[in-house]
Amino acid sequence: MLFYLRMVFARFSFMFALFLLISAIIFARDIEIFVEDEDLAMPLEGAVIALRGGTQFICDEDGIARVSLPDDRQAVITVSYPGYESLRLTIPPAGNIAPVRFTASLRLGGIMTSQELVIEAARPETSETKSGRSVAISERELTRTAEIGIIEDVMNSVRLLPGVGYAGMFSAMPSIRGGDPGDLMAALDGFYLERPYHWLGSVSIFDPKMVSSARLSHGVFSARYGHTISGLLEVTTKSPSSVETEIETAIGTSAASLNLSLPLWGKGGILFMGKVTYWDTLVWAAQGLSRVVDDENLQMINAVTTAPYIRSAALSMNYRITSDMEWRLNGFFGSDGVGADFRNEYDDEEIQGMMEIKADYNNYQGFLIAGLSASPMSTLALRFSGGIGFIELVTEDYVDNNITAHYNEDFVKKYPSLGLTPNDTYNAPNVNVTLDMENTIFNTQLRADADIDLGRGFIAAFGVQELYSLWKQREDIDLFLEIPVQRLPQEYKNKLKSSGKFPILELPDDDYAALLRPSGYKGDVENQGFTTSGYSLLEYASLNQRFGAELGLRVDHLYFHGKDFSVQTMPAFNPRLNIDFGILKNRGNIDSLTATAGTGLFSSMNTLISFIEKNASLEDYDMKLNRSWTSVIGFKIDFVQKYSFNIEGYYKYVFDRAYITADTVSSNVIEPTFNFDGVGNVWGFDLQLQKLESRYWDGWISYTFTWAKYMDPSGGGQGLNMGSTEGVGEFWYYPSFHRFHNCNIVLNFKPLQWFHIAARFGFASGQPKRKVSNIIYPYPVQVIDENGKPQLDDKGDPVIIQKYRRDSWYDENERADWALPLDIKFSFFPANRKGRTGMEIYLAGENLMSIFYVPSGNTTFNSYTGKEDTGGGAGNFDLPIPMVSFGFKWRY
């Protein structure tokens, strides 16, 4: 009987086990877990995935493990790898989700107790770095090169890339391959930003703590993208974790930031980011330093009344609706401003009086972006996005100039016909300057894209976009303009003589003299722009990756509507072609050798057109989009020792470029004229030698040579960029932002896991400057009123004042001194044995070469006394002292 019961129980147990096995097979599901290094984006072979019941799975050489899970309930798995922080991942029930593949990104732990782990791999985002098209910066590189200084800015990293011209410490608007700095277009998660800057372009709104990667496209990039003729900066925000709560806080020399990431039921997450600056202490310290250092630029810090400030908040959110559909949301709001009151009092034998300059600047901007990505079929990918944004800029400037001086004997003897007496005093007119400006920009964008896999290596893509902009601008400018007598038309001279006494007009033509006349500009515009774009392209890549090509066509059209008028441009057709050749692969020390060639047309809307009014008298098709034709050829070699070398040569022809001229002679009201005939020739090459990510050191050396000349046929050539109005007609000139040579050396040393050194050194040849005479000489200025009649003194004589000048002219061989920026950052990573938190403490120094070398420029002088100012002239707007900063970052 006992034996029988045992047999029944055994059979029952066998059948029950068989039933459980069959049930598990029928009701289980297989998913793929991909495990990678979070910073290097490298698969981790051998990573262990453990279920709660103890079952383990090992990742293969591709970092993938296939795991069987129950279909009807949520599962929690643990992912581990030696030297890395373990990660818990929640897998929702099958009924709630459809994805069959999940990604686990592991971070290196603090201290390893076993043998040290050394990982060498290509840097992240290499798939986005394409020779002849673009270069990308990963989050790790941003940490080293952007999170430094008194203002941490993604542009700190961008300006170290090949093809980017040096613009100084306080400029986030560099020239890209010889293009105008205003030609650089920025896009955040696909949303085009018209002015993504704080402090009028000194820094960008892109805080590196809110950015996961950035890509600069300065070659012949895809027809998917547009609205630029020189460069497109694509910034991708950080994505929140879908499984863990994360917090990151940072405190630096002048700013504090906080990031908080919250998961949304394993399907997405929401990330809050905030930043606030506190420059009051820095201003106070600089003002103290100005009392012991005699430097003209440094003395300007004493004029600051409201310390520069930045306040910003950002939001990033995504949610996976199904395995084939994901929704995202991004938002940003920021404000910045500064105030100054500069006073300069004169009290000596030659001049008495005071000049005061007041300025108050405040800027507000924000945007909200939503996007939906879907893949209804394995061969079809759809993307929809839209957003709104605004900018509100308010500026108030005021200049009060009240001067009493006297005529010196040499001046009176030089101009006897003016009837002046030596040592007689005169009161210079109060040449007040007021500027009151309110600028509001509102824009909204809608976009749809579709990619279709045609098979056999072919992909077709189509897309449309509508960009609507509303510009409301009110400007009230009153100022005094000096008009050289030599520039006055004879007809205007005759008109002046008939209206009163003008002894200054009787001087010989060889004697420089001028009229001082009140002038102004009043603008009140409300313009709207509708930019419609569409593209189609065909991509091909051979199975062995030896050959690839992309042929595309993009069309842009602008319809412009203002008060009681409207104009439109001709559609701009922009065909583009890129061809890639894989010449060598896995040959000796060469991992791969590729060549690329591309050519294409580009178009963009010049922001100057936002000022156009009805009196500009433009007809349809008179307005034109900025255009350029760009051709690029490049070679890239990847070596097995984790080195990479890339060289690219390019030619760019710029045409239909918009610029403004103004007639300041015929009337006291400044009337701008809009021209669309600007042209330019740009050619050059840039190269980069890079040591890819490794245990002990990495970095790159980049060099850029640029030759660029522009011409303004209707504006007088060098006059628009070099501060002169002479030379009206066709004249090729080097633009003010041009530099022949730009070189950057970026090195990251990691002698210990807890101590890193990042250094960046560069040299950049000087920008063009006007050649000046060594002689400062006096000249007469007669004051007239707004009606063109002479202003008279108490005696009834014309008011004539004595001023000083020195001749200057454009010389294409005249350049400012070379710039030599040097920055060093020391980072400390305290040990973390628990593996849940991370910490970084850094100390950095910027502009360290200023201890030994400061670029010089043309000296300045007092226009009423002729005396040169102390401290000389600077060759750029960088501070003449090193800037020391520190920071602390903590992450959980």
Side-chain angles (χ1 to χ4, degrees):
M1 187 64 171
L2 183 58
F3 175 77
Y4 176 76
L5 291 175
R6 287 179 178 175
M7 287 190 62
V8 172
F9 180 79
R11 291 182 179 182
F12 177 81
S13 299
F14 172 78
M15 294 299 294
F16 183 76
L18 183 61
F19 173 78
L20 290 179
L21 179 60
I22 294 174
S23 299
I25 295 174
I26 295 176
F27 297 102
R29 53 192 168 118
D30 291 332
I31 65 171
E32 287 186 354
I33 306 294
F34 172 63
V35 184
E36 65 172 355
D37 181 291
E38 182 182 64
D39 295 319
L40 303 181
M42 184 189 73
L44 297 179
E45 179 183 3
V48 177
I49 299 174
L51 305 183
R52 282 186 172 178
T55 306
Q56 294 185 348
F57 302 86
I58 308 299
C59 293
D60 58 20
E61 61 183 5
D62 296 321
I64 297 175
R66 291 164 180 81
V67 180
S68 295
L69 296 176
D71 207 15
D72 59 341
R73 64 179 184 273
Q74 177 175 283
V76 177
I77 63 174
T78 301
V79 185
S80 60
Y81 193 81
Y84 286 76
E85 301 175 6
S86 297
L87 174 68
R88 296 181 64 189
L89 190 64
T90 301
I91 309 298
N96 296 335
I97 63 165
V100 295
R101 178 165 175 164
F102 296 85
T103 299
S105 299
L106 301 186
R107 300 171 180 170
L108 280 170
I111 294 295
M112 297 171 54
T113 56
S114 58
Q115 183 180 1
E116 185 174 292
L117 179 67
V118 178
I119 299 176
E120 298 197 13
R123 64 188 176 90
E125 317 300 339
T126 51
S127 61
E128 298 184 13
T129 299
K130 296 183 179 180
S131 179
R133 299 171 180 80
S134 60
V135 59
I137 313 173
S138 68
E139 184 177 353
R140 173 168 288 194
E141 288 170 344
L142 289 173
T143 301
R144 294 168 179 165
T145 56
E147 293 184 8
I148 179 175
I150 54 177
I151 289 294
E152 297 180 353
D153 186 3
V154 167
M155 295 305 297
N156 292 340
S157 299
V158 172
R159 55 185 171 216
L160 301 175
L161 298 177
V164 181
Y166 178 72
M169 285 178 59
F170 296 103
S171 176
M173 301 176 65
S175 170
I176 307 298
R177 284 186 170 174
D180 189 284
D183 290 337
L184 175 63
M185 173 60 75
L188 182 70
D189 292 332
F191 186 83
Y192 292 100
L193 303 175
E194 186 166 329
R195 299 177 189 175
Y197 304 108
H198 294 302
W199 299 337
L200 296 174
S202 297
V203 297
S204 78
I205 66 172
F206 305 125
D207 187 333
K209 293 181 178 63
M210 64 177 282
V211 173
S212 64
S213 66
R215 179 173 67 174
L216 177 65
S217 299
H218 50 30
V220 182
F221 49 86
S222 173
R224 292 181 174 91
Y225 311 104
H227 301 293
T228 179
I229 62 172
S230 289
L232 174 66
L233 178 62
E234 299 173 81
V235 178
T236 303
T237 57
K238 288 184 177 180
S239 297
S241 171
S242 61
V243 295
E244 289 189 327
T245 298
E246 298 178 336
I247 184 171
E248 179 179 323
T249 182
I251 299 176
T253 308
S254 61
S257 63
L258 175 67
N259 289 12
L260 175 62
S261 176
L262 302 173
L264 296 176
W265 310 287
K267 294 185 177 183
I270 183 169
L271 174 62
F272 301 95
M273 296 164 282
K275 174 182 178 180
V276 59
T277 60
Y278 36 84
W279 272 52
D280 303 77
T281 304
L282 293 175
V283 171
W284 174 80
Q287 289 174 341
L289 185 63
S290 68
R291 299 185 182 94
V292 296
V293 177
D294 185 16
D295 186 275
E296 179 185 351
N297 291 332
L298 187 59
Q299 296 298 326
M300 295 293 292
I301 196 68
N302 293 301
V304 175
T305 56
T306 300
Y309 69 89
I310 295 175
R311 312 282 189 266
S312 64
L315 168 72
S316 178
M317 179 179 178
N318 60 51
Y319 190 80
R320 190 175 58 251
I321 302 173
T322 69
S323 62
D324 301 321
M325 186 177 298
E326 183 178 13
W327 174 79
R328 61 180 175 83
L329 179 71
N330 296 93
F332 174 86
F333 176 80
S335 64
D336 58 277
V338 65
D341 186 356
F342 175 79
R343 298 173 63 92
N344 190 6
E345 296 185 0
Y346 307 104
D347 187 11
D348 56 34
E349 296 179 355
E350 299 182 3
I351 184 173
Q352 295 84 37
M354 179 270 297
M355 180 181 70
E356 181 179 15
I357 301 176
K358 292 182 179 181
D360 190 17
Y361 156 84
N362 292 280
N363 181 55
Y364 309 90
Q365 60 180 308
F367 50 83
L368 187 66
I369 315 166
L372 181 68
S373 301
S375 181
M377 301 188 313
S378 60
T379 59
L380 176 63
L382 302 175
R383 295 179 302 278
F384 306 94
S385 62
I388 57 175
F390 79 94
I391 299 175
E392 179 75 24
L393 172 63
V394 180
T395 301
E396 295 180 2
D397 296 329
Y398 174 77
V399 179
D400 185 10
N401 197 352
N402 195 348
I403 301 296
T404 299
H406 64 266
Y407 305 114
N408 62 39
E409 188 171 352
D410 293 338
F411 175 78
V412 173
K413 289 182 178 180
K414 185 176 180 179
Y415 304 102
S417 63
L418 298 180
L420 305 176
T421 304
N423 298 321
D424 274 1
T425 61
Y426 65 89
N427 293 320
N430 194 340
V431 287
N432 293 342
V433 177
T434 60
L435 187 153
D436 187 6
M437 181 177 68
E438 294 182 8
N439 192 337
T440 302
I441 301 175
F442 173 81
N443 69 78
T444 182
Q445 302 172 34
L446 293 173
R447 177 169 183 160
D449 302 84
D451 288 10
I452 305 173
D453 187 350
L454 303 178
R456 297 184 178 273
F458 288 94
I459 294 178
F462 310 90
V464 293
Q465 181 186 31
E466 183 67 31
L467 193 160
Y468 167 78
S469 298
L470 170 65
W471 302 282
K472 289 185 177 181
Q473 298 175 120
R474 183 186 62 81
E475 295 176 317
D476 190 352
I477 303 174
D478 294 308
L479 71 163
F480 282 76
L481 290 180
E482 271 194 28
I483 306 172
V485 171
Q486 289 78 2
R487 287 184 51 209
L488 296 177
Q490 188 60 45
E491 181 181 354
Y492 187 72
K493 289 183 180 180
N494 296 335
K495 180 180 178 181
L496 291 176
K497 290 179 181 179
S498 65
S499 64
K501 298 179 181 180
F502 281 92
I504 202 168
L505 299 179
E506 306 300 332
L507 296 175
D509 292 339
D510 294 338
D511 290 338
Y512 185 89
L515 296 174
L516 185 63
R517 184 180 67 186
S519 299
Y521 171 76
K522 297 185 184 300
D524 186 7
V525 301
E526 183 175 330
N527 294 326
Q528 303 175 70
F530 300 82
T531 305
T532 305
S533 304
Y535 74 87
S536 63
L537 61 85
L538 182 66
E539 295 182 30
Y540 173 75
S542 62
L543 295 178
N544 57 9
Q545 301 297 314
R546 288 299 181 94
F547 177 78
E550 179 182 315
L551 176 62
L553 174 65
R554 182 181 181 91
V555 181
D556 296 322
H557 174 264
L558 171 64
Y559 175 78
F560 190 89
H561 181 76
K563 291 182 178 179
D564 302 323
F565 77 101
S566 61
V567 293
Q568 62 179 317
T569 66
M570 289 287 291
F573 291 87
N574 300 314
R576 300 174 196 173
L577 172 65
N578 277 293
I579 301 176
D580 301 299
F581 302 93
I583 302 175
L584 293 176
K585 193 170 185 179
N586 300 325
R587 187 74 59 87
N589 290 327
I590 298 177
D591 187 33
S592 66
L593 169 61
T594 58
T596 184
T599 186
L601 290 171
F602 299 83
S603 61
S604 68
M605 178 186 65
N606 197 308
T607 55
L608 290 176
I609 69 172
S610 63
F611 296 93
I612 290 179
E613 298 183 75
K614 183 179 181 180
N615 55 14
S617 301
L618 293 178
E619 301 292 339
D620 278 346
Y621 314 127
D622 288 344
M623 180 187 292
K624 298 178 181 179
L625 297 172
N626 289 347
R627 303 295 303 279
S628 72
W629 170 48
T630 302
S631 297
V632 178
I633 184 170
F635 296 90
K636 184 182 181 189
I637 305 177
D638 292 328
F639 298 94
V640 295
Q641 295 88 356
K642 302 304 179 183
Y643 287 89
S644 178
F645 177 76
N646 186 60
I647 182 171
E648 297 178 13
Y650 59 91
Y651 170 76
K652 177 165 54 181
Y653 176 67
V654 179
F655 59 101
D656 292 347
R657 182 174 54 86
Y659 59 94
I660 294 178
T661 57
D663 179 10
T664 59
V665 176
S666 303
S667 170
N668 63 316
V669 178
I670 301 174
E671 295 288 351
T673 300
F674 294 85
N675 307 280
F676 300 91
D677 57 357
V679 294
N681 277 308
V682 183
W683 65 271
F685 66 90
D686 46 57
L687 54 88
Q688 182 180 40
L689 174 63
Q690 185 174 19
K691 174 67 169 68
L692 301 178
E693 182 68 38
S694 67
R695 167 62 182 86
Y696 289 102
W697 76 281
D698 54 74
W700 70 82
I701 300 175
S702 66
Y703 170 76
T704 300
F705 173 83
T706 304
W707 187 97
K709 277 193 172 182
Y710 286 71
M711 181 174 66
D712 309 314
S714 302
Q718 79 273 23
L720 299 182
N721 278 270
M722 301 304 298
S724 172
T725 54
E726 57 199 44
V728 175
E730 295 188 358
F731 188 95
W732 289 94
Y733 63 91
Y734 291 113
S736 59
F737 50 81
H738 173 254
R739 297 181 188 268
F740 280 112
H741 310 280
N742 289 274
C743 181
N744 292 291
I745 302 173
V746 180
L747 296 174
N748 302 302
F749 299 100
K750 296 166 279 187
L752 301 170
Q753 282 192 326
W754 55 269
F755 177 60
H756 296 176
I757 303 174
R760 57 190 193 192
F761 172 72
F763 60 84
S765 58
Q767 294 174 313
K769 69 174 184 178
R770 294 186 63 80
K771 193 173 184 62
V772 298
S773 169
N774 294 325
I775 301 175
I776 300 175
Y777 62 89
Y779 69 99
V781 179
Q782 182 170 349
V783 185
I784 63 177
D785 61 21
E786 61 273 9
N787 298 317
K789 295 183 178 182
Q791 191 175 110
L792 305 178
D793 59 16
D794 297 338
K795 300 178 182 179
D797 295 325
V799 175
I800 296 177
I801 61 178
Q802 173 186 332
K803 295 188 71 176
Y804 287 83
R805 76 184 303 270
R806 60 182 171 195
D807 294 329
S808 65
W809 59 94
Y810 174 80
D811 186 338
E812 65 178 22
N813 297 315
E814 192 73 6
R815 295 271 167 168
D817 288 346
W818 287 59
L820 303 176
L822 172 63
D823 307 324
I824 298 179
K825 176 182 178 181
F826 301 95
S827 297
F828 303 87
F829 302 90
N832 171 31
R833 300 184 182 277
K834 295 183 178 180
R836 299 293 296 175
T837 62
M839 186 184 303
E840 177 186 359
I841 303 173
Y842 77 79
L843 176 67
E846 293 180 285
N847 197 31
L848 297 179
M849 286 297 295
S850 62
I851 300 175
F852 316 100
Y853 171 79
V854 176
S856 62
N858 293 331
T859 58
T860 57
F861 60 93
N862 188 302
S863 62
Y864 288 96
T865 65
K867 295 181 179 180
E868 288 191 304
D869 297 324
T870 60
N876 54 53
F877 292 101
D878 293 346
L879 290 178
I881 57 174
M883 303 300 295
V884 178
S885 60
F886 64 88
F888 169 83
K889 183 168 67 174
W890 179 83
R891 181 181 66 185
Y892 173 79

